[in-house]
Amino acid sequence: MDAQLSTLLFEQRRFPPPPEFAASANAGEALYRSAERDHEAFWAEQARALHWIRPWDRVLEWNPPHAKWFVGGKLNVSANCLDRHLDGPLRNKAALIWEGEPGDRRVLTYWDLAREVRKAANALKRLGVGKGDRVAIYMPLVPEAAIAMLACARIGAVHSVIFGGFSAESVRDRVNDAEAKVLITADAGYRRGQVLPLKRMADAAMAGTPSIRHCVVVRRRPGGEGDEAFAQMTEGRDHWWHRLLDAESAECEPTPVDAEDLLFILYTSGTTGKPKGIVHTTGGYLTQVAATTRYVFDLKPEDVFWCTADIGWVTGHSYVVYGPLANGATVLIYEGAPDWPERDRFWSLVERHGVTVLYTAPTAIRAFMKWGTEHPGRHDLSSLRLLGSVGEPINPEAWIWYHTHIGGGRCPIVDTWWQTETGGIMITPLPGVTTTKPGSATTPFPGITAELVDTAGTVITKGGGFLTLPEPWPGMLRTIYRDDQRYRDTYWSRFPGRYFAGDGAKLDEDGYWWILGRVDDVLNVAGHRIGTMEVESALVEHSSVAEAAVVGRAHELKGQALAAFVTLKDGQHPTSELKDDLKAHVTQKIGAIARPDDIFFSADLPKTRSGKIMRRLLKDIAEGRALGDTTTLADPNVVSRLKEMYEEKEG
Ligand code: WTA
């Protein structure tokens, strides 16, 4: 991190907003000034842009660490995203433009989408889903994933979307934690030309989910119904989505929902083995995602907005589904991989669909850089007018490459810092207003306060420290599902009275934020959060493993890659087959995103005298650096032995 800090300190390039962009931008300097006067009044103003069934009595009730926003207000998220657009010019506008990996295409207008959502909502009701019930969604990136989310919102049910790349066991644990009644999945999904048997995974998960009464299966493969290799239907429990919806009417009144009723739970990795169910509610969340979408992505009626995230992550919730649809935008969704069938797939999509605003992740940008400029060079990208980045710090070189080769030097870049827990964007430039510096997320969004503190929790205005949020914000998580103590401990105990994000950061002389990355035991692998403990728990469940320690090592494309140090039980032999077996084991337990890149076998792990594994040392070893300070080690020889092994491997 020190090396990173010093490169950032030398970053002197400045990009003032292009005057033509500023002239018609949704955001102006005045937005900051009005928010500065009164944060609550600012957010109330943003909330008034939504449709409320009943107005709120109080903007904010703050009993730290619990906030309630728009207390007493009632609204419905699906009515805000759909119905209110149907009476005017948006009725026949494309809401979702979808492209499957094999090249199949579908367009749903706001009218189409509203009809599908109402039918799906009726179908869920018929399956016994009511207000407050949890519905798990385990899907490829197809329109039905968004339809399912909106259908839950329509009837006040709580969705828990589980990324389609997670293993059956991960699905089972999440379904059980939320006690979901219904699981919505698909027969299969496409990724890099492979057909992923999602329903088979769902079946394996459902072998251990007593709360699930019904499973609804979207037919993704053309003519897929009846192909038992992909979807074996269990009589009475499993239903084809299209058959259920065919039988339903397209009339369905939106259920009035309290501003503080749950909209969704989304599981994310933390510093212990068990994923946390992050709880988001309705009124404040929608207010923040709608306002940030309008000002950060500057959406205009004619825009085609493409956020490349999967709906299994918070970015997909907030900026594929809720934020853009609440603004009546046209959203592009692409199911598959960026290098399928060729490495120009993204740029071909941009050209063919006339994408104007692109929001993607640094890990993707670094891959594009590596693949070379000939791929974007083959396409007309002149429709683009604004670029965004999210998920991890963007290195200044990747920023400049993105600006030059994708944005043609003319598009502002918004580097947006936020988290699953924050619900919406927190620190970001406003395009047309903010002068950007490559690698800096710049300053907090209007109405948001961020403060840097030192280890003692004292606020500092310059230099490096911890990123904290001292004030509540509308989209903030309300708690961890059924574990409020963990909510208090995780976010509010390190610096009492402040939300601690888990990120290290630096403030420069202009008050710009430079996010340095996680300072806890959470890794960021290709923009995905993975808890080291989660992977360690998976490894020690393997019959030959005695102990495991997982660290992140720097990786050119993924930002960080997982390196696992494993000690074996007596009688087990460190073979390359066992390495492969352990990697496969983690994939099966958690999913391919958590598969370690390297496995090091070691007779012992370096520990302090109090028995704590010294991860910093392991990281040094995994990155091939000279050994750090080992004076506190119980047995310094452990490290030198490991180091020798590592060097052998390299040689
Ligand atoms: C990191 C994704 C630097 C950060 C929306 C945070 C970033 C974690 C940025 C949250 C950014 C996200 N610059 N770091 N622009 N955006 N991060 O919950 O470490 O999947 O804590 O939410 O990603 O990841 P999550």
Side-chain angles (χ1 to χ4, degrees), residues 165-168 582-596:
F166 275 126
S167 68
L582 290 176
K583 290 180 184 179
H585 177 75
V586 174
T587 307
Q588 188 219 325
K589 289 275 164 193
I590 305 175
I593 54 168
R595 186 175 189 272

Side-chain angles (χ1 to χ4, degrees), residues 632-646:
T632 52
L633 271 179
D635 176 6
N637 291 329
V638 171
V639 178
S640 22
R641 280 196 299 269
L642 264 170
K643 181 83 179 154
E644 274 161 33
M645 269 180 47
Y646 175 77

Side-chain angles (χ1 to χ4, degrees), residues 268 313-315 359 362 389-394 414-422 427 439 441 501-504 514-518 522 524 527-529:
T268 188
W313 311 114
V314 74
T315 308
Y359 188 34
S389 172
V390 63
E392 57 182 308
I394 178 165
V414 288
D415 173 7
T416 62
W417 177 85
W418 59 294
Q419 308 178 292
T420 305
E421 292 87 343
T422 69
I427 301 181
D503 282 318
W514 300 77
I515 315 295
L516 302 174
R518 306 290 307 191
V522 176
N524 193 328
H528 300 315
R529 277 167 66 168

